Amino acid sequence: MKRVVTVFFVIASCFYSYGQNSEVSNMLKEIEGQWSLDDNNNVTYQRIVEVPDVNKDELFSRAQNYFIYNYGSGKSVIQTQDKEKGQIIGKGIYDRLHTFSNGTGWVYLGTWHIIRVDVKDGRARIIITLTEYQEDFKGMLTNSNVSKEFPINDEGGRKNIMGKAFYKSHNKAIESLDLIEKAIKEGTTSKQIEDDKW
């Protein structure tokens, strides 16, 4: 009897790990069409922000401040910045977005992403690209390309785990787009504080 229960548990856990359940299917339907793939098959989001009457230098400064306020240290995230071109590129991780058990312990999954902000007088373009998942199991880190995992790759395994990770990564990317847009339009703290005469 013990053996039958063990076999059943193993089969059920394999199905749970590798099959896609209806919860994940509904999550993915909810965000369908809200992201695209770039030429390297990476998941990419783009938003154009119109800011009439604000010059390029001010928009560049606001974009820089976004990284500093939201990543603790802008230097550790910003990979390149060119004020003349009006371009800032940063790389960061949405840390521990999804947690799951692999049967022997907890795994913390995060998503590496690249944020690119291009500015010119009166407008900015924000591009966020999800590049790699990072799994942390007892301090051992492993990375895998987002494009090689489910749902971008239908052949990818662990459909429930990776489907949920993708859904949470997507939501975090949208949240980042909203925060960057707000920083570009209004500043990083608040319009009232930043405009206040002191």
Side-chain angles (χ1 to χ4, degrees):
M1 182 66 177
K2 232 183 204 181
R3 185 175 283 167
V4 171
V5 171
T6 302
V7 169
F8 176 76
F9 177 74
V10 169
I11 290 170
S13 66
C14 286
F15 177 75
Y16 178 76
S17 294
Y18 291 93
Q20 177 186 357
N21 66 26
S22 61
E23 177 190 11
V24 172
S25 180
N26 290 336
M27 291 169 116
L28 296 176
K29 281 180 187 170
E30 180 185 318
I31 63 172
E32 192 173 335
Q34 296 181 25
W35 49 273
S36 60
L37 296 177
D38 67 13
D39 293 343
N40 297 315
N41 215 32
N42 290 317
V43 176
T44 303
Y45 304 84
Q46 178 176 276
R47 185 176 294 175
I48 306 295
V49 180
E50 300 290 341
V51 196
D53 303 323
V54 180
N55 68 36
K56 176 180 161 184
D57 288 344
E58 175 61 21
L59 292 178
F60 186 85
S61 177
R62 291 179 184 182
Q64 273 182 319
N65 288 341
Y66 165 80
F67 287 100
I68 294 165
Y69 275 83
N70 289 279
Y71 286 91
S73 168
K75 286 185 179 179
S76 66
V77 173
I78 295 174
Q79 305 293 302
T80 186
Q81 57 184 325
D82 186 329
K83 190 170 186 176
E84 199 171 300
K85 279 175 68 175
Q87 184 179 85
I88 301 172
I89 300 174
K91 183 176 182 179
I93 188 165
Y94 298 135
D95 204 20
R96 295 183 173 213
L97 276 181
H98 186 55
T99 304
F100 62 93
S101 173
N102 66 6
T104 60
W106 291 101
V107 180
Y108 304 99
L109 192 142
T111 309
W112 283 101
H113 59 280
I114 296 170
I115 298 175
R116 174 178 165 171
V117 181
D118 297 296
V119 297
K120 57 186 179 181
D121 289 344
R123 69 192 316 215
R125 178 179 63 179
I126 308 160
I127 301 171
I128 297 179
T129 304
L130 305 178
T131 57
E132 289 184 307
Y133 292 118
Q134 178 177 282
E135 294 185 39
D136 179 351
F137 176 62
K138 298 182 180 179
M140 294 181 352
L141 303 177
T142 57
N143 291 347
S144 62
N145 288 338
V146 171
S147 63
K148 301 223 186 305
E149 300 290 351
F150 181 79
I152 309 308
N153 176 8
D154 282 336
E155 303 299 315
R158 304 183 302 165
K159 293 185 187 308
N160 286 327
I161 292 167
M162 300 318 285
K164 288 178 182 178
F166 181 75
Y167 178 81
K168 291 175 182 179
S169 300
H170 165 83
N171 287 336
K172 195 66 176 171
I174 297 299
E175 180 184 321
S176 294
L177 283 170
D178 292 342
L179 288 171
I180 298 167
E181 179 176 359
K182 181 181 182 302
I184 287 170
K185 284 182 171 178
E186 303 172 15
T188 306
T189 53
S190 77
K191 196 167 180 63
Q192 180 183 1
I193 290 171
E194 292 183 11
D195 287 348
D196 203 12
K197 302 279 188 247
W198 54 277

